[in-house]
């Protein structure tokens, strides 16, 4: 099986960028808060707040563009194959070590809000990690499916584990579109779609 690794480590956490923005705003507001009666102070407060909001929006946009690019990349290699976006888990890291498939791009060595893509071919389901030009590994279908839950972030998400004699793959579907910030309804639809694809 391919043993590709990611060419480098990206931004480690979006939370850090958000924290820095909030701290800057708080410091600025604390500095000017004692001089609210001076001309231009409220304008400075507005500018500081706008900078913080723009920083958060830029982060959301960056992650969304990264996921769309990842899905397009896999689609070029697997034209016509159904694709589902999911979250990486420590179970994938453990399996990657077992298969000697490389752990770059998997927890804990991956950016915050990282995603993986599952490609469903007629005879197998593949795991694609961002930056790879080939699937990291795959499981031959049909295969038994075990349902459980994981918590890769703040939310508890549904996990579907499939295995064949050679490998195991844990899927945590979040969107069967290219959404980086899916709602609960999107996640439920992605799980249902994944179960349907695994049962073909």
């Amino acid at each position: 099986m391919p043993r590709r690794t990611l060419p480098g480590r990206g931004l480690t956490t979006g939370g850090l960028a958000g924290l820095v923005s909030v701290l800057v705003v708080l410091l600025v507001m604390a500095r000017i808060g004692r001089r609210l009666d001076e001309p231009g102070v409220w304008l400075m407060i507005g500018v500081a707040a706008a900078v913080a909001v723009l920083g958060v929006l830029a982060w959301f946009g960056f992650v969304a563009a990264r996921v769309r690019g990842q899905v397009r990349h896999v689609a070029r290699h697997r034209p016509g194959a159904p694709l589902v976006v999911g979250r990486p888990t420590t179970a994938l890291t453990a399996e990657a070590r077992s298969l000697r498939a490389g752990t770059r791009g998997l927890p804990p060595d991956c950016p915050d809000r990282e995603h993986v893509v599952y490609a469903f071919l007629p005879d197998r389901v593949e795991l694609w990690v961002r930056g790879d030009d080939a699937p990291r590994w795959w499981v031959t279908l049909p295969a038994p499916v075990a349902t459980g839950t994981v918590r890769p972030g703040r939310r508890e998400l549904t996990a579907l584990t499939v295995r064949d004699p050679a490998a195991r793959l844990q899927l945590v579907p979040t969107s069967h579109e290219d959404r980086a910030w899916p709602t609960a309804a999107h996640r439920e639809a992605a799980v249902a779609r994944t179960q349907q694809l695994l049962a073909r």
Side-chain angles (χ1 to χ4, degrees):
M1 288 188 182
R3 294 180 174 84
R4 299 279 303 182
T5 58
L6 291 179
R9 185 171 183 177
L11 188 60
T12 56
T13 175
L16 179 60
L19 179 61
V20 171
S21 297
V22 170
L23 287 177
V24 169
V25 170
L26 289 177
L27 288 173
V28 171
M29 294 184 72
R31 178 179 177 86
I32 65 180
R34 297 187 295 270
R35 302 177 302 184
L36 292 178
D37 56 338
E38 295 182 11
V41 169
W42 286 105
L43 176 61
M44 292 175 63
I45 292 174
V47 169
V51 168
V53 170
L54 288 175
V56 171
L57 291 177
W59 169 246
F60 273 70
F62 168 75
V63 174
R66 187 172 66 187
V67 171
R68 287 194 298 269
Q70 187 177 355
V71 171
R72 286 195 300 268
H73 177 74
V74 178
R76 285 194 294 270
H77 288 274
R78 296 291 184 264
L83 305 178
V84 174
V85 176
R87 296 297 301 274
T89 64
T90 54
L92 292 180
T93 307
E95 186 68 8
R97 290 194 182 109
S98 174
L99 297 173
R100 298 187 179 183
T103 60
R104 296 294 299 274
L106 299 174
D109 185 24
C110 64
D112 187 32
R113 295 298 307 183
E114 186 61 279
H115 293 74
V116 294
V117 175
Y118 318 118
F120 293 86
L121 279 65
D123 62 339
R124 66 190 190 189
V125 53
E126 300 176 338
L127 172 70
W128 288 75
V129 179
R130 188 168 62 90
D132 285 1
D133 291 325
R136 190 66 62 95
W137 73 87
W138 61 82
V139 168
T140 302
L141 298 177
V145 181
T147 303
T149 59
V150 295
R151 193 181 290 272
R154 290 173 294 177
R155 295 183 179 88
E156 187 173 76
L157 303 176
T158 300
L160 305 172
T161 301
V162 293
R163 65 176 71 217
D164 64 15
R168 179 180 61 172
L169 182 58
Q170 186 179 67
L171 300 90
V172 181
T174 56
S175 173
H176 62 281
E177 303 167 351
D178 55 358
R179 293 179 180 270
W181 308 95
T183 64
H186 287 117
R187 292 192 294 271
E188 290 174 6
V191 170
R193 175 62 171 156
T194 300
Q195 290 171 326
Q196 180 186 42
L197 291 168
L198 291 173
R200 290 182 305 177

